[in-house]
Amino acid sequence: MSAEVHGGRAKCLQRLIRMGMPVPRTMALSFDVVHRIAQGHLPDMEALLAPFGENPLVSVRPSSQDPDWGGPGAILNIGMNDTRLAEMIPVIGEWAATAVYLRFVQSYAIHVARLDPEEFYLPDVPDAVSLRAMLDTYELETDEPFPQDPATQLGEVLRSMARAWDGTTARLLRQAKGAPVDAGLGLVVQKMALGVGHGECGSGVIQYVDSATGQPQITGRYLGQSQGREALGDTDSALYLTKDPRGPSLEERCPEPFAQLKEYGELCRRKLREEMQVEFTIDDGTLHVLDAVRVQRSSRASVAIAVALAEDSIIPREEAVLRVEPSALSELLHRQIDPRATRDVIVSGIPASPGAATGRIVLTANEAQASAARGEPCVLVRRETTPEDIRGMHAAQAVLTMRGGVTSHAAVIGRGLGVPCIVGASDLVIDRKRGGIIGRDGRRFAVGDLITVDGTTGQVLAGSPPMLEAALDGAFQTLLAWADDFRDIGVRANADTPADAHTAQNFAAEGIGLCRTEHMFFDDERLGVMREMIFAESSDDRRAVLDRLLPMQRADFQALFAIMAGKNVCVRLFDPPLHEFLPADKAGLRDLAEQMALPLAAVTERVNALREYNPMLGMRGVRLGIAIPEIYDMQARAIFEALIAVQSQGITIDVEIMIPLVSAMREVELMRARIDGVANAVRAKKRAVFEYHLGVMVETPRGALRAQDIAEHAEFLSFGTNDLTQMTYGLSRDDAGRFMSAYVQQGVYAEDPFHTLDIEGVGELVSLGAERGRAGRPDVVLAICGEHGGSRSAIAFCREHKFDYVSCSPFRVPVARLTAAQLALQERMNA
């Protein structure tokens, strides 16, 4: 018997029987048999019932290949009829026998005959009068008496369950859980252990670990004179399992069956190599095991259980690593809304940075900073964020934007900061005049009102639902340490600040694969200096202003290098267009004119002159470095002086300088000559010895196509898949959210290319660039540093093409480490 033929429940029951557990006689029907039943071809019912003896009572339960795929509910007490009732009354008593019959009639009427549940309720006193009334109701509703033949009853139950599995709703539900379209259903017919009657009778459910934490703990309930899983629904009358000061327990009432259950739990763990939940019945003091299913578990528990099984040598470490979904780690890194909480949804958007946070609504970065200064958590709500909003994003507990996609500015920065973020909430309206937001249903929330952002699901909720805290416990660290033993590709972090670097270090990143230096310039103190530099008229004037920024940049790099001691740090030189540092509104222009001591008209003219029709395709990156070389000169000097400073403290660091937006070999030649000149000047002035590596960020199609020439002058090529995707598609990542869902739904693209790396298009450019890069320099280091870097498809792609590492947001590093290990193990298993 196999799960692929008879389903997981049937296979598990077979193993429980072989392990010597007291499982009632069981027959399993295969997927093919059940499929034929759904088409109207019933097997021989008399032959099917024969192994269960004369006048049997049986139950039928579903047995899908994967228990998570669900199935129709179990039906108990099949075979109950007037004759069987009369036989049972002298044995177990009239109350118990009548209760069994009533439960079966109710279940059959609702789930087989599909009658109105309102008409079939269980009476408080199960007697002959209430039974007669229910049987009469059945006959009235169906125009025929309740079936008395056990074979007929069983046949109708089997047909009903088989057809329910083939129904449209059931098919869509299980496909949503990952089941294939043609997933089959098996059925398990099992002799009833009644759980009602004389002596100690009842039913219950027991599990041996806590579903939330995964720690060893016996939980469950037992209810006397009950069947199935009734104990879980009647918590007032049910007994605790272990001794408990709150009330009586099964351990005290039935010590021998309880001891057996504990023994069976450990047996399941050892033999089934899993933590199981066991459904049991006690019949006149005798224990029967009816079923065992895998314990439902939280993300935290899934990690704890996998690690505990491996540490107890029940499963190998490789299997423990493969058992945990990488997405489970992402949930553990952040606070989450308690799954039991009520959700009052205001609006939904694109989940861009996982986790959940509650705060008061603010509409500007300045308001966010003021709120943080008062010690009040806030949620920054913007139409879309810009680099000027970074300080507010740092101050906020969460970020919500009306526009943008998964690689928009808000999404990228949110993931880097570990701040919950939702983007593309297009149904949201920001009412600036009245100070608030308006939800999809017209509800209005004022600035200062509490809302909750769930960056895991993309829902914005009213109020402050209860939260579950992040859980980075020992099992989490152990699992990732094992993953590192198996993975064969490096994992670095994109980190721009000392806080980012600390996070990357805590998550065991192998270094920094992308440090975006422009994020260091938006601090209040530096922003003014940057604006002075932009307004400077000559090279000497610019250099004089940048000399004031030099010590700030040097301190930034020195802090990063000290945190990442012994590792690689890849610093990307200044990338964005200069207009991003200038105000766009009239009030901002007036403030700038006052700061520059210039007429407002002159400032406005200068700002307008710097604006570009499409700044993302304009003067940014290396183009700025060539047109205004003083910026890169200052940054290079700051890097080298910081390197010398940490070396004097005994810290070794491998510094890499990355030139952004390169599309031609000559750009690299010019930059290398310039940066080498700065390096030599610093070496001479400081009388110091240091080395560095120069590389290129490949984010234009031409850069990928000309990688052979470029690599002759670059020691590494790091593919920036965010911009490369934009330029390959001719599509703005900030605007894509408006129509991308329609494209995906209609099959234009399989996935949003800003969410999942487009292997066919962008991936071909990357692989071509890697191949040509190696042709130009065989030892060139290859990496991906765009936001795709932490995704499974991108890591698989990079492994296939023998890249050296991927780099992703700090909070995605654990996910990337586990994913890389799983891909390596799966490749080993399939070899």
Side-chain angles (χ1 to χ4, degrees):
M1 185 180 295
S2 71
E4 290 75 19
V5 175
H6 291 87
R9 173 171 271 128
K11 178 63 179 176
C12 181
L13 285 168
Q14 180 189 48
R15 297 193 66 184
L16 296 182
I17 293 168
R18 288 177 177 173
M19 288 154 55
M21 293 190 191
V23 178
R25 180 178 291 276
T26 303
M27 299 283 288
L29 304 181
S30 70
F31 296 167
D32 287 341
V33 170
V34 174
H35 182 63
R36 288 198 295 273
I37 291 173
Q39 294 177 322
H41 306 295
L42 285 171
D44 185 337
M45 289 294 105
E46 299 293 344
L48 184 58
L49 283 169
F52 297 100
E54 287 189 38
N55 300 323
L57 288 183
V58 297
S59 66
V60 179
R61 287 182 172 86
S63 180
S64 55
Q65 184 172 337
D66 186 327
D68 290 339
W69 296 348
I75 296 182
L76 312 181
N77 304 317
I78 303 164
M80 276 303 298
N81 54 26
D82 296 344
T83 303
R84 192 75 169 88
L85 175 67
E87 293 174 350
M88 289 172 62
I89 287 175
V91 180
I92 66 172
E94 183 175 0
W95 179 92
T98 306
V100 171
Y101 200 177
L102 279 164
R103 285 172 178 149
F104 176 53
V105 175
Q106 180 197 47
S107 182
Y108 191 94
I110 296 171
H111 300 295
V112 179
R114 309 294 176 185
L115 301 179
D116 184 359
E118 293 287 333
E119 300 293 332
F120 296 88
Y121 59 89
L122 293 177
D124 295 332
V125 179
D127 56 19
V129 174
S130 57
L131 175 60
R132 186 71 264 157
M134 188 177 285
L135 290 171
D136 288 346
T137 300
Y138 181 91
E139 187 169 350
L140 179 66
E141 295 290 328
T142 62
D143 292 329
E144 56 186 31
F146 188 79
Q148 296 291 306
D149 178 30
T152 300
Q153 293 174 357
L154 179 60
E156 291 304 312
V157 168
L158 295 177
R159 192 196 324 268
S160 173
M161 295 176 77
R163 287 178 174 172
W165 178 260
D166 280 348
T168 302
T169 301
R171 186 182 299 113
L172 291 174
L173 284 173
R174 64 176 177 268
Q175 283 180 236
K177 297 177 181 178
V181 176
D182 59 349
L185 176 73
L187 292 173
V188 169
V189 183
Q190 188 178 75
K191 185 176 181 179
M192 282 295 302
L194 284 177
V196 296
H198 297 307
E200 182 57 52
C201 294
S203 64
V205 174
I206 183 173
Q207 66 184 51
Y208 307 89
V209 296
D210 185 279
S211 293
T213 66
Q215 296 305 307
Q217 179 183 342
I218 291 179
T219 59
R221 285 289 191 274
Y222 169 79
L223 181 64
Q225 301 298 324
S226 71
Q227 295 185 307
R229 304 174 74 87
E230 291 180 35
L232 297 181
D234 187 354
T235 55
D236 292 335
S237 304
L239 273 63
Y240 298 100
L241 296 183
T242 58
K243 293 178 183 178
D244 195 297
R246 294 172 293 176
S249 68
L250 181 65
E251 183 177 12
E252 294 164 306
R253 181 180 291 185
C254 303
E256 187 174 335
F258 178 76
Q260 287 178 281
L261 285 169
K262 287 179 65 177
E263 177 187 332
Y264 294 152
E266 183 59 27
L267 190 60
C268 282
R269 188 172 187 265
R270 292 280 173 188
K271 297 295 185 180
L272 301 183
R273 305 163 70 249
E274 185 55 278
E275 292 289 358
M276 306 295 287
Q277 183 187 86
V278 174
E279 184 177 334
F280 65 93
T281 293
I282 296 178
D283 209 6
D284 197 13
T286 301
L287 178 67
H288 300 275
V289 173
L290 306 183
D291 196 12
V293 296
R294 180 178 176 271
V295 166
Q296 292 294 313
R297 61 202 66 182
S298 68
S299 297
R300 178 181 177 185
S302 69
V303 174
I305 290 170
V307 169
L309 289 171
E311 289 181 333
D312 291 343
S313 301
I314 294 172
I315 63 174
R317 292 179 176 182
E318 290 87 343
E319 186 173 341
V321 169
L322 287 168
R323 280 193 180 192
V324 177
E325 284 291 327
S327 59
L329 294 191
S330 183
E331 290 183 24
L332 293 183
L333 300 174
H334 307 275
R335 297 176 80 210
Q336 301 288 335
I337 295 173
D338 191 320
R340 297 163 292 189
T342 301
R343 288 175 171 257
D344 181 3
V345 180
I346 302 170
V347 71
S348 295
I350 300 169
S353 180
T358 298
R360 301 191 181 279
I361 297 171
V362 298
L363 301 182
T364 69
N366 288 338
E367 290 173 7
Q369 289 178 283
S371 182
R374 294 191 301 269
E376 295 179 355
C378 66
V379 174
L380 177 61
V381 184
R382 302 285 285 159
R383 185 168 182 269
E384 59 186 328
T385 62
T386 68
E388 284 190 351
D389 291 315
I390 288 176
R391 290 166 291 149
M393 296 176 72
H394 273 277
Q397 299 296 307
V399 177
L400 168 64
T401 69
M402 295 169 57
R403 294 185 59 191
V406 290
T407 55
S408 63
H409 179 269
V412 172
I413 301 305
R415 284 193 292 272
L417 297 175
V419 171
C421 178
I422 294 174
V423 298
S426 54
D427 291 332
L428 182 74
V429 175
I430 298 177
D431 184 352
R432 297 195 179 279
K433 289 185 178 179
R434 297 176 62 180
I437 61 174
I438 303 171
R440 180 181 51 197
D441 57 2
R443 281 190 293 169
R444 187 179 294 273
F445 297 84
V447 167
D449 286 350
L450 280 176
I451 61 171
T452 297
V453 169
D454 186 349
T456 304
T457 66
Q459 292 181 332
V460 183
L461 311 179
S464 54
M467 299 279 188
L468 299 178
E469 295 301 322
L472 307 183
D473 53 17
F476 175 91
Q477 304 294 352
T478 298
L479 184 77
L480 286 177
W482 294 344
D484 290 341
D485 291 338
F486 304 128
R487 65 181 170 89
D488 52 9
I489 189 170
V491 177
R492 296 195 199 177
N494 300 342
D496 310 328
T497 66
D500 294 342
H502 276 299
T503 302
Q505 184 80 313
N506 291 339
F507 292 148
E510 294 176 30
I512 294 176
L514 173 62
C515 172
R516 292 163 288 214
T517 54
E518 59 271 13
H519 292 163
M520 300 172 176
F521 291 103
F522 285 98
D523 180 83
D524 281 337
E525 182 183 0
R526 304 178 190 194
L527 184 59
V529 182
M530 273 298 293
R531 289 172 170 175
E532 286 185 50
M533 187 277 296
I534 294 170
F535 274 76
E537 296 293 340
S538 68
S539 176
D540 288 341
D541 290 344
R542 282 193 293 270
R543 190 172 291 109
V545 176
L546 287 168
D547 282 344
R548 291 157 55 196
L549 279 176
L550 175 64
M552 303 176 194
Q553 278 269 277
R554 183 171 58 228
D556 290 331
F557 295 134
Q558 191 170 334
L560 283 179
F561 296 164
I563 294 167
M564 304 306 293
K567 298 182 178 179
N568 296 68
V569 175
C570 181
V571 179
R572 184 182 74 181
L573 299 179
F574 190 88
D575 181 46
L578 293 179
H579 84 276
E580 288 193 1
F581 295 87
L582 299 174
D585 59 337
K586 291 181 179 178
L589 289 170
R590 284 196 298 269
D591 289 342
L592 182 57
E594 183 179 347
Q595 177 191 345
M596 297 289 107
L598 293 172
L600 177 59
V603 169
T604 303
E605 182 182 355
R606 176 68 169 155
V607 170
N608 289 336
L610 284 169
R611 296 204 182 281
E612 300 175 78
Y613 286 109
N614 193 331
M616 289 301 100
L617 300 179
M619 195 170 79
R620 52 171 284 219
V622 69
R623 300 160 191 170
L624 265 176
I626 291 174
I628 310 176
E630 297 83 10
I631 299 176
Y632 280 12
D633 288 350
M634 181 275 291
Q635 289 194 302
R637 183 175 299 278
I639 292 169
F640 297 141
E641 291 181 356
L643 178 57
I644 293 170
V646 296
Q647 283 180 344
S648 68
Q649 300 168 13
I651 295 173
T652 59
I653 196 81
D654 196 345
V655 171
E656 301 162 356
I657 296 178
M658 182 156 66
I659 307 169
L661 212 72
V662 165
S663 56
M665 176 182 68
R666 181 61 178 160
E667 291 172 323
V668 189
E669 286 182 319
L670 291 171
M671 285 298 97
R672 176 174 280 280
R674 191 100 193 180
I675 293 169
D676 280 345
V678 174
N680 291 331
V682 172
R683 288 188 184 106
K685 182 178 179 180
K686 300 289 186 179
R687 298 188 179 184
V689 176
F690 60 83
E691 298 297 328
Y692 75 98
H693 304 285
L694 185 76
V696 161
M697 193 169 184
V698 182
E699 45 197 332
T700 68
R702 194 179 194 280
L705 294 172
R706 302 306 301 170
Q708 181 169 346
D709 298 337
I710 291 170
E712 292 179 12
H713 303 276
E715 295 166 75
F716 63 90
L717 303 177
S718 188
F719 291 83
T721 54
N722 297 354
D723 271 328
L724 189 56
T725 299
Q726 284 197 113
M727 296 188 190
T728 302
Y729 276 82
L731 177 64
S732 165
R733 65 188 184 189
D734 293 310
D735 294 327
R738 295 180 178 183
F739 61 86
M740 190 54 67
S741 60
Y743 262 52
V744 173
Q745 287 169 7
Q746 297 182 54
V748 180
Y749 304 141
E751 295 285 349
D752 182 339
F754 294 109
H755 188 263
T756 301
L757 181 64
D758 167 27
I759 302 298
E760 294 177 350
V762 179
E764 185 169 353
L765 267 177
V766 174
S767 63
L768 193 61
E771 178 185 338
R772 293 183 177 181
R774 287 195 181 102
R777 181 190 289 261
D779 63 346
V780 69
V781 173
L782 299 174
I784 276 183
C785 64
E787 280 301 303
H788 295 109
S791 69
R792 191 176 192 88
S793 59
I795 294 171
F797 174 86
C798 289
R799 290 187 66 256
E800 178 186 351
H801 293 278
K802 308 300 181 188
F803 275 44
D804 295 276
Y805 67 87
V806 298
S807 188
C808 54
S809 298
F811 281 89
R812 298 188 79 181
V813 166
V815 177
R817 289 163 62 195
L818 180 61
T819 300
Q822 290 181 346
L823 290 168
L825 288 170
Q826 288 166 354
E827 183 178 282
R828 187 192 307 174
M829 290 164 58
N830 296 331

